[in-house]
mmCIF file of all heavy atoms in Angstrom:
data_model
loop_
_atom_site.group_PDB
_atom_site.id
_atom_site.type_symbol
_atom_site.label_atom_id
_atom_site.label_comp_id
_atom_site.label_asym_id
_atom_site.label_seq_id
_atom_site.Cartn_x
_atom_site.Cartn_y
_atom_site.Cartn_z
ATOM 1 N N THR A 800 25.081 156.898 -57.708
ATOM 2 C CA THR A 800 26.426 157.281 -58.162
ATOM 3 C C THR A 800 26.420 158.694 -58.709
ATOM 4 O O THR A 800 27.290 159.511 -58.384
ATOM 5 C CB THR A 800 26.919 156.299 -59.251
ATOM 6 O OG1 THR A 800 26.936 154.982 -58.716
ATOM 7 C CG2 THR A 800 28.331 156.658 -59.692
ATOM 8 N N ALA A 801 25.425 159.006 -59.563
ATOM 9 C CA ALA A 801 25.333 160.344 -60.170
ATOM 10 C C ALA A 801 25.078 161.413 -59.108
ATOM 11 O O ALA A 801 25.687 162.500 -59.140
ATOM 12 C CB ALA A 801 24.214 160.360 -61.212
ATOM 13 N N THR A 802 24.193 161.109 -58.151
ATOM 14 C CA THR A 802 23.890 162.069 -57.075
ATOM 15 C C THR A 802 25.119 162.310 -56.205
ATOM 16 O O THR A 802 25.391 163.434 -55.779
ATOM 17 C CB THR A 802 22.729 161.553 -56.207
ATOM 18 O OG1 THR A 802 21.638 161.190 -57.040
ATOM 19 C CG2 THR A 802 22.259 162.624 -55.230
ATOM 20 N N TYR A 803 25.853 161.240 -55.961
ATOM 21 C CA TYR A 803 27.090 161.358 -55.178
ATOM 22 C C TYR A 803 28.085 162.290 -55.872
ATOM 23 O O TYR A 803 28.622 163.220 -55.255
ATOM 24 C CB TYR A 803 27.705 159.973 -54.991
ATOM 25 C CG TYR A 803 29.160 159.989 -54.588
ATOM 26 C CD1 TYR A 803 29.542 160.351 -53.296
ATOM 27 C CD2 TYR A 803 30.155 159.675 -55.504
ATOM 28 C CE1 TYR A 803 30.879 160.386 -52.931
ATOM 29 C CE2 TYR A 803 31.487 159.708 -55.147
ATOM 30 C CZ TYR A 803 31.844 160.058 -53.868
ATOM 31 O OH TYR A 803 33.159 160.104 -53.519
ATOM 32 N N LEU A 804 28.320 162.060 -57.162
ATOM 33 C CA LEU A 804 29.273 162.885 -57.912
ATOM 34 C C LEU A 804 28.812 164.340 -57.968
ATOM 35 O O LEU A 804 29.619 165.261 -57.846
ATOM 36 C CB LEU A 804 29.446 162.330 -59.333
ATOM 37 C CG LEU A 804 30.106 160.945 -59.438
ATOM 38 C CD1 LEU A 804 30.097 160.464 -60.882
ATOM 39 C CD2 LEU A 804 31.529 160.997 -58.912
ATOM 40 N N SER A 805 27.503 164.534 -58.148
ATOM 41 C CA SER A 805 26.952 165.881 -58.209
ATOM 42 C C SER A 805 27.125 166.611 -56.867
ATOM 43 O O SER A 805 27.469 167.797 -56.827
ATOM 44 C CB SER A 805 25.470 165.809 -58.589
ATOM 45 O OG SER A 805 24.911 167.093 -58.659
ATOM 46 N N SER A 806 26.898 165.902 -55.756
ATOM 47 C CA SER A 806 27.033 166.503 -54.419
ATOM 48 C C SER A 806 28.478 166.925 -54.153
ATOM 49 O O SER A 806 28.738 168.013 -53.637
ATOM 50 C CB SER A 806 26.578 165.501 -53.354
ATOM 51 O OG SER A 806 25.258 165.095 -53.567
ATOM 52 N N VAL A 807 29.414 166.027 -54.492
ATOM 53 C CA VAL A 807 30.835 166.334 -54.307
ATOM 54 C C VAL A 807 31.232 167.545 -55.145
ATOM 55 O O VAL A 807 31.966 168.429 -54.686
ATOM 56 C CB VAL A 807 31.695 165.097 -54.665
ATOM 57 C CG1 VAL A 807 33.176 165.462 -54.708
ATOM 58 C CG2 VAL A 807 31.466 163.986 -53.661
ATOM 59 N N GLU A 808 30.735 167.584 -56.386
ATOM 60 C CA GLU A 808 31.051 168.697 -57.299
ATOM 61 C C GLU A 808 30.534 170.018 -56.730
ATOM 62 O O GLU A 808 31.222 171.041 -56.750
ATOM 63 C CB GLU A 808 30.413 168.418 -58.658
ATOM 64 C CG GLU A 808 30.929 169.274 -59.791
ATOM 65 C CD GLU A 808 32.220 168.737 -60.379
ATOM 66 O OE1 GLU A 808 32.583 167.596 -60.102
ATOM 67 O OE2 GLU A 808 32.871 169.503 -61.109
ATOM 68 N N PHE A 809 29.300 169.996 -56.210
ATOM 69 C CA PHE A 809 28.701 171.217 -55.680
ATOM 70 C C PHE A 809 29.484 171.742 -54.479
ATOM 71 O O PHE A 809 29.738 172.959 -54.359
ATOM 72 C CB PHE A 809 27.246 170.947 -55.283
ATOM 73 C CG PHE A 809 26.570 172.124 -54.639
ATOM 74 C CD1 PHE A 809 26.180 173.222 -55.386
ATOM 75 C CD2 PHE A 809 26.358 172.148 -53.267
ATOM 76 C CE1 PHE A 809 25.577 174.323 -54.784
ATOM 77 C CE2 PHE A 809 25.760 173.233 -52.656
ATOM 78 C CZ PHE A 809 25.363 174.328 -53.419
ATOM 79 N N ILE A 810 29.854 170.846 -53.568
ATOM 80 C CA ILE A 810 30.649 171.253 -52.396
ATOM 81 C C ILE A 810 31.982 171.840 -52.835
ATOM 82 O O ILE A 810 32.476 172.830 -52.278
ATOM 83 C CB ILE A 810 30.857 170.049 -51.453
ATOM 84 C CG1 ILE A 810 29.538 169.705 -50.754
ATOM 85 C CG2 ILE A 810 31.928 170.334 -50.408
ATOM 86 C CD1 ILE A 810 29.573 168.453 -49.927
ATOM 87 N N GLY A 811 32.569 171.242 -53.886
ATOM 88 C CA GLY A 811 33.836 171.752 -54.419
ATOM 89 C C GLY A 811 33.713 173.189 -54.907
ATOM 90 O O GLY A 811 34.554 174.039 -54.598
ATOM 91 N N TYR A 812 32.642 173.461 -55.659
ATOM 92 C CA TYR A 812 32.438 174.824 -56.165
ATOM 93 C C TYR A 812 32.168 175.809 -55.030
ATOM 94 O O TYR A 812 32.619 176.956 -55.059
ATOM 95 C CB TYR A 812 31.268 174.845 -57.157
ATOM 96 C CG TYR A 812 31.664 174.428 -58.552
ATOM 97 C CD1 TYR A 812 31.326 173.182 -59.051
ATOM 98 C CD2 TYR A 812 32.407 175.285 -59.371
ATOM 99 C CE1 TYR A 812 31.702 172.787 -60.328
ATOM 100 C CE2 TYR A 812 32.780 174.907 -60.641
ATOM 101 C CZ TYR A 812 32.426 173.666 -61.124
ATOM 102 O OH TYR A 812 32.800 173.282 -62.378
ATOM 103 N N LEU A 813 31.430 175.352 -54.029
ATOM 104 C CA LEU A 813 31.098 176.225 -52.897
ATOM 105 C C LEU A 813 32.358 176.675 -52.157
ATOM 106 O O LEU A 813 32.555 177.870 -51.899
ATOM 107 C CB LEU A 813 30.158 175.468 -51.945
ATOM 108 C CG LEU A 813 29.666 176.232 -50.719
ATOM 109 C CD1 LEU A 813 28.800 177.409 -51.138
ATOM 110 C CD2 LEU A 813 28.878 175.304 -49.793
ATOM 111 N N PHE A 814 33.233 175.706 -51.839
ATOM 112 C CA PHE A 814 34.447 176.051 -51.118
ATOM 113 C C PHE A 814 35.469 176.755 -52.008
ATOM 114 O O PHE A 814 36.250 177.573 -51.534
ATOM 115 C CB PHE A 814 35.051 174.799 -50.470
ATOM 116 C CG PHE A 814 34.393 174.432 -49.180
ATOM 117 C CD1 PHE A 814 33.313 173.569 -49.160
ATOM 118 C CD2 PHE A 814 34.824 174.977 -47.977
ATOM 119 C CE1 PHE A 814 32.681 173.240 -47.969
ATOM 120 C CE2 PHE A 814 34.207 174.661 -46.788
ATOM 121 C CZ PHE A 814 33.131 173.785 -46.772
ATOM 122 N N ALA A 815 35.439 176.457 -53.308
ATOM 123 C CA ALA A 815 36.307 177.185 -54.250
ATOM 124 C C ALA A 815 35.930 178.665 -54.278
ATOM 125 O O ALA A 815 36.806 179.546 -54.336
ATOM 126 C CB ALA A 815 36.194 176.585 -55.646
ATOM 127 N N ALA A 816 34.638 178.945 -54.191
ATOM 128 C CA ALA A 816 34.170 180.339 -54.167
ATOM 129 C C ALA A 816 34.674 181.065 -52.916
ATOM 130 O O ALA A 816 35.118 182.224 -52.980
ATOM 131 C CB ALA A 816 32.649 180.373 -54.226
ATOM 132 N N LEU A 817 34.626 180.365 -51.764
ATOM 133 C CA LEU A 817 35.114 180.955 -50.518
ATOM 134 C C LEU A 817 36.617 181.235 -50.588
ATOM 135 O O LEU A 817 37.095 182.290 -50.141
ATOM 136 C CB LEU A 817 34.810 180.022 -49.342
ATOM 137 C CG LEU A 817 33.337 179.852 -48.950
ATOM 138 C CD1 LEU A 817 33.197 178.780 -47.881
ATOM 139 C CD2 LEU A 817 32.757 181.176 -48.461
ATOM 140 N N ILE A 818 37.366 180.280 -51.170
ATOM 141 C CA ILE A 818 38.818 180.451 -51.290
ATOM 142 C C ILE A 818 39.158 181.591 -52.246
ATOM 143 O O ILE A 818 40.073 182.383 -51.995
ATOM 144 C CB ILE A 818 39.457 179.118 -51.743
ATOM 145 C CG1 ILE A 818 39.385 178.102 -50.596
ATOM 146 C CG2 ILE A 818 40.911 179.315 -52.166
ATOM 147 C CD1 ILE A 818 39.744 176.689 -50.982
ATOM 148 N N LEU A 819 38.395 181.688 -53.352
ATOM 149 C CA LEU A 819 38.606 182.796 -54.296
ATOM 150 C C LEU A 819 38.340 184.147 -53.633
ATOM 151 O O LEU A 819 39.072 185.122 -53.840
ATOM 152 C CB LEU A 819 37.688 182.625 -55.513
ATOM 153 C CG LEU A 819 38.111 181.595 -56.554
ATOM 154 C CD1 LEU A 819 36.979 181.347 -57.549
ATOM 155 C CD2 LEU A 819 39.368 182.064 -57.289
ATOM 156 N N LEU A 820 37.298 184.180 -52.823
ATOM 157 C CA LEU A 820 36.942 185.429 -52.137
ATOM 158 C C LEU A 820 38.029 185.841 -51.154
ATOM 159 O O LEU A 820 38.507 186.989 -51.168
ATOM 160 C CB LEU A 820 35.610 185.238 -51.410
ATOM 161 C CG LEU A 820 35.006 186.478 -50.741
ATOM 162 C CD1 LEU A 820 34.608 187.509 -51.786
ATOM 163 C CD2 LEU A 820 33.788 186.088 -49.910
ATOM 164 N N TYR A 821 38.455 184.896 -50.305
ATOM 165 C CA TYR A 821 39.473 185.185 -49.294
ATOM 166 C C TYR A 821 40.840 185.442 -49.936
ATOM 167 O O TYR A 821 41.542 186.401 -49.589
ATOM 168 C CB TYR A 821 39.554 184.003 -48.325
ATOM 169 C CG TYR A 821 40.642 184.145 -47.279
ATOM 170 C CD1 TYR A 821 40.658 185.222 -46.382
ATOM 171 C CD2 TYR A 821 41.651 183.185 -47.185
ATOM 172 C CE1 TYR A 821 41.663 185.343 -45.431
ATOM 173 C CE2 TYR A 821 42.650 183.293 -46.230
ATOM 174 C CZ TYR A 821 42.657 184.372 -45.359
ATOM 175 O OH TYR A 821 43.654 184.494 -44.413
ATOM 176 N N GLY A 822 41.204 184.593 -50.909
ATOM 177 C CA GLY A 822 42.498 184.759 -51.577
ATOM 178 C C GLY A 822 42.561 186.037 -52.387
ATOM 179 O O GLY A 822 43.597 186.723 -52.400
ATOM 180 N N GLY A 823 41.477 186.364 -53.087
ATOM 181 C CA GLY A 823 41.428 187.600 -53.880
ATOM 182 C C GLY A 823 41.590 188.834 -53.008
ATOM 183 O O GLY A 823 42.266 189.808 -53.382
ATOM 184 N N TRP A 824 40.981 188.772 -51.820
ATOM 185 C CA TRP A 824 41.102 189.899 -50.871
ATOM 186 C C TRP A 824 42.550 190.061 -50.416
ATOM 187 O O TRP A 824 43.062 191.183 -50.311
ATOM 188 C CB TRP A 824 40.185 189.617 -49.675
ATOM 189 C CG TRP A 824 40.291 190.640 -48.585
ATOM 190 C CD1 TRP A 824 39.740 191.879 -48.563
ATOM 191 C CD2 TRP A 824 41.020 190.492 -47.350
ATOM 192 N NE1 TRP A 824 40.062 192.541 -47.391
ATOM 193 C CE2 TRP A 824 40.846 191.720 -46.627
ATOM 194 C CE3 TRP A 824 41.773 189.474 -46.786
ATOM 195 C CZ2 TRP A 824 41.419 191.917 -45.372
ATOM 196 C CZ3 TRP A 824 42.332 189.678 -45.544
ATOM 197 C CH2 TRP A 824 42.167 190.878 -44.857
ATOM 198 N N ARG A 825 43.245 188.951 -50.192
ATOM 199 C CA ARG A 825 44.647 189.016 -49.755
ATOM 200 C C ARG A 825 45.569 189.509 -50.873
ATOM 201 O O ARG A 825 46.541 190.216 -50.633
ATOM 202 C CB ARG A 825 45.092 187.636 -49.256
ATOM 203 C CG ARG A 825 44.433 187.260 -47.931
ATOM 204 C CD ARG A 825 44.902 185.917 -47.442
ATOM 205 N NE ARG A 825 46.331 185.916 -47.178
ATOM 206 C CZ ARG A 825 47.085 184.838 -47.074
ATOM 207 N NH1 ARG A 825 46.526 183.648 -47.247
ATOM 208 N NH2 ARG A 825 48.361 184.926 -46.825
ATOM 209 N N VAL A 826 45.263 189.118 -52.119
ATOM 210 C CA VAL A 826 46.055 189.613 -53.262
ATOM 211 C C VAL A 826 45.874 191.126 -53.396
ATOM 212 O O VAL A 826 46.844 191.877 -53.620
ATOM 213 C CB VAL A 826 45.631 188.897 -54.574
ATOM 214 C CG1 VAL A 826 46.269 189.577 -55.788
ATOM 215 C CG2 VAL A 826 46.044 187.429 -54.539
ATOM 216 N N ALA A 827 44.621 191.592 -53.243
ATOM 217 C CA ALA A 827 44.334 193.037 -53.354
ATOM 218 C C ALA A 827 45.045 193.829 -52.266
ATOM 219 O O ALA A 827 45.463 194.980 -52.488
ATOM 220 C CB ALA A 827 42.827 193.256 -53.262
ATOM 221 N N ASN A 828 45.247 193.203 -51.091
ATOM 222 C CA ASN A 828 45.939 193.882 -49.987
ATOM 223 C C ASN A 828 47.449 193.683 -50.017
ATOM 224 O O ASN A 828 48.156 194.134 -49.109
ATOM 225 C CB ASN A 828 45.400 193.386 -48.636
ATOM 226 C CG ASN A 828 43.992 193.901 -48.363
ATOM 227 O OD1 ASN A 828 43.564 194.912 -48.926
ATOM 228 N ND2 ASN A 828 43.262 193.194 -47.510
ATOM 229 N N GLY A 829 47.946 192.953 -51.035
ATOM 230 C CA GLY A 829 49.392 192.767 -51.184
ATOM 231 C C GLY A 829 49.979 191.690 -50.297
ATOM 232 O O GLY A 829 51.204 191.580 -50.184
ATOM 233 N N GLU A 830 49.148 190.874 -49.650
ATOM 234 C CA GLU A 830 49.655 189.797 -48.795
ATOM 235 C C GLU A 830 50.105 188.577 -49.595
ATOM 236 O O GLU A 830 50.855 187.736 -49.106
ATOM 237 C CB GLU A 830 48.561 189.355 -47.808
ATOM 238 C CG GLU A 830 48.199 190.391 -46.765
ATOM 239 C CD GLU A 830 47.150 189.861 -45.801
ATOM 240 O OE1 GLU A 830 47.078 188.616 -45.630
ATOM 241 O OE2 GLU A 830 46.394 190.660 -45.218
ATOM 242 N N LEU A 831 49.611 188.465 -50.834
ATOM 243 C CA LEU A 831 49.830 187.274 -51.655
ATOM 244 C C LEU A 831 50.113 187.709 -53.085
ATOM 245 O O LEU A 831 49.456 188.626 -53.599
ATOM 246 C CB LEU A 831 48.560 186.405 -51.614
ATOM 247 C CG LEU A 831 48.669 184.917 -51.887
ATOM 248 C CD1 LEU A 831 49.560 184.232 -50.850
ATOM 249 C CD2 LEU A 831 47.287 184.277 -51.883
ATOM 250 N N SER A 832 51.115 187.062 -53.740
ATOM 251 C CA SER A 832 51.405 187.420 -55.136
ATOM 252 C C SER A 832 50.357 186.804 -56.051
ATOM 253 O O SER A 832 49.750 185.778 -55.726
ATOM 254 C CB SER A 832 52.794 186.927 -55.541
ATOM 255 O OG SER A 832 52.803 185.523 -55.709
ATOM 256 N N THR A 833 50.158 187.419 -57.202
ATOM 257 C CA THR A 833 49.165 186.924 -58.171
ATOM 258 C C THR A 833 49.508 185.516 -58.635
ATOM 259 O O THR A 833 48.645 184.647 -58.728
ATOM 260 C CB THR A 833 49.110 187.865 -59.395
ATOM 261 O OG1 THR A 833 48.857 189.189 -58.952
ATOM 262 C CG2 THR A 833 48.016 187.435 -60.364
ATOM 263 N N GLY A 834 50.814 185.285 -58.933
ATOM 264 C CA GLY A 834 51.256 183.969 -59.401
ATOM 265 C C GLY A 834 50.997 182.883 -58.379
ATOM 266 O O GLY A 834 50.536 181.794 -58.718
ATOM 267 N N THR A 835 51.304 183.190 -57.101
ATOM 268 C CA THR A 835 51.083 182.205 -56.033
ATOM 269 C C THR A 835 49.602 181.874 -55.893
ATOM 270 O O THR A 835 49.222 180.705 -55.757
ATOM 271 C CB THR A 835 51.618 182.736 -54.692
ATOM 272 O OG1 THR A 835 53.019 182.986 -54.819
ATOM 273 C CG2 THR A 835 51.394 181.729 -53.565
ATOM 274 N N PHE A 836 48.763 182.915 -55.948
ATOM 275 C CA PHE A 836 47.327 182.704 -55.783
ATOM 276 C C PHE A 836 46.744 181.870 -56.929
ATOM 277 O O PHE A 836 46.003 180.907 -56.693
ATOM 278 C CB PHE A 836 46.607 184.061 -55.705
ATOM 279 C CG PHE A 836 45.116 183.936 -55.550
ATOM 280 C CD1 PHE A 836 44.571 183.211 -54.502
ATOM 281 C CD2 PHE A 836 44.255 184.537 -56.458
ATOM 282 C CE1 PHE A 836 43.191 183.086 -54.353
ATOM 283 C CE2 PHE A 836 42.885 184.416 -56.317
ATOM 284 C CZ PHE A 836 42.355 183.694 -55.266
ATOM 285 N N ILE A 837 47.097 182.222 -58.161
ATOM 286 C CA ILE A 837 46.576 181.471 -59.319
ATOM 287 C C ILE A 837 47.101 180.038 -59.299
ATOM 288 O O ILE A 837 46.376 179.087 -59.592
ATOM 289 C CB ILE A 837 46.944 182.185 -60.638
ATOM 290 C CG1 ILE A 837 46.176 183.509 -60.730
ATOM 291 C CG2 ILE A 837 46.619 181.305 -61.846
ATOM 292 C CD1 ILE A 837 46.527 184.359 -61.913
ATOM 293 N N SER A 838 48.369 179.862 -58.943
ATOM 294 C CA SER A 838 48.942 178.518 -58.859
ATOM 295 C C SER A 838 48.268 177.705 -57.760
ATOM 296 O O SER A 838 48.062 176.492 -57.899
ATOM 297 C CB SER A 838 50.446 178.600 -58.582
ATOM 298 O OG SER A 838 51.107 179.245 -59.649
ATOM 299 N N PHE A 839 47.946 178.374 -56.636
ATOM 300 C CA PHE A 839 47.237 177.694 -55.546
ATOM 301 C C PHE A 839 45.886 177.181 -56.030
ATOM 302 O O PHE A 839 45.517 176.031 -55.765
ATOM 303 C CB PHE A 839 47.049 178.653 -54.361
ATOM 304 C CG PHE A 839 46.421 178.005 -53.156
ATOM 305 C CD1 PHE A 839 47.206 177.464 -52.150
ATOM 306 C CD2 PHE A 839 45.042 177.922 -53.036
ATOM 307 C CE1 PHE A 839 46.626 176.849 -51.053
ATOM 308 C CE2 PHE A 839 44.456 177.311 -51.943
ATOM 309 C CZ PHE A 839 45.256 176.773 -50.941
ATOM 310 N N ILE A 840 45.155 178.045 -56.757
ATOM 311 C CA ILE A 840 43.839 177.651 -57.273
ATOM 312 C C ILE A 840 43.978 176.473 -58.241
ATOM 313 O O ILE A 840 43.220 175.498 -58.183
ATOM 314 C CB ILE A 840 43.144 178.839 -57.972
ATOM 315 C CG1 ILE A 840 42.845 179.955 -56.965
ATOM 316 C CG2 ILE A 840 41.858 178.391 -58.670
ATOM 317 C CD1 ILE A 840 41.895 179.561 -55.864
ATOM 318 N N GLY A 841 44.973 176.565 -59.147
ATOM 319 C CA GLY A 841 45.195 175.475 -60.107
ATOM 320 C C GLY A 841 45.543 174.177 -59.410
ATOM 321 O O GLY A 841 45.016 173.108 -59.749
ATOM 322 N N THR A 842 46.417 174.249 -58.406
ATOM 323 C CA THR A 842 46.814 173.058 -57.638
ATOM 324 C C THR A 842 45.629 172.507 -56.846
ATOM 325 O O THR A 842 45.459 171.284 -56.727
ATOM 326 C CB THR A 842 47.963 173.404 -56.667
ATOM 327 O OG1 THR A 842 49.016 174.021 -57.393
ATOM 328 C CG2 THR A 842 48.497 172.165 -55.979
ATOM 329 N N LEU A 843 44.817 173.415 -56.330
ATOM 330 C CA LEU A 843 43.640 173.013 -55.563
ATOM 331 C C LEU A 843 42.676 172.194 -56.418
ATOM 332 O O LEU A 843 42.154 171.159 -55.981
ATOM 333 C CB LEU A 843 42.925 174.253 -55.011
ATOM 334 C CG LEU A 843 41.746 174.002 -54.063
ATOM 335 C CD1 LEU A 843 42.224 173.323 -52.795
ATOM 336 C CD2 LEU A 843 41.049 175.304 -53.734
ATOM 337 N N PHE A 844 42.455 172.634 -57.659
ATOM 338 C CA PHE A 844 41.566 171.887 -58.549
ATOM 339 C C PHE A 844 42.160 170.534 -58.913
ATOM 340 O O PHE A 844 41.444 169.536 -59.050
ATOM 341 C CB PHE A 844 41.258 172.694 -59.811
ATOM 342 C CG PHE A 844 40.171 173.722 -59.612
ATOM 343 C CD1 PHE A 844 40.433 175.071 -59.681
ATOM 344 C CD2 PHE A 844 38.871 173.317 -59.340
ATOM 345 C CE1 PHE A 844 39.432 176.012 -59.478
ATOM 346 C CE2 PHE A 844 37.856 174.242 -59.139
ATOM 347 C CZ PHE A 844 38.130 175.594 -59.208
#
């Protein structure tokens, strides 16, 4: 049970990092508003 929860948590952080990287790049280029991006991250969690 503990290993399962730990594995799921790790995958979550890994993909969250990818989304932060891609989303942050789009915010810097003006494709996405800051509020939308932060709200997306909050909703994602």
Side-chain angles (χ1 to χ4, degrees):
T800 301
T802 309
Y803 162 73
L804 294 175
S805 180
S806 302
V807 170
E808 195 83 14
F809 176 74
I810 288 173
Y812 277 105
L813 182 65
F814 279 91
L817 291 174
I818 289 169
L819 283 169
L820 186 66
Y821 176 59
W824 176 78
R825 290 181 62 198
V826 170
N828 288 338
E830 292 182 26
L831 204 62
S832 73
T833 305
T835 300
F836 179 56
I837 292 175
S838 297
F839 184 93
I840 295 297
T842 307
L843 186 64
F844 279 114

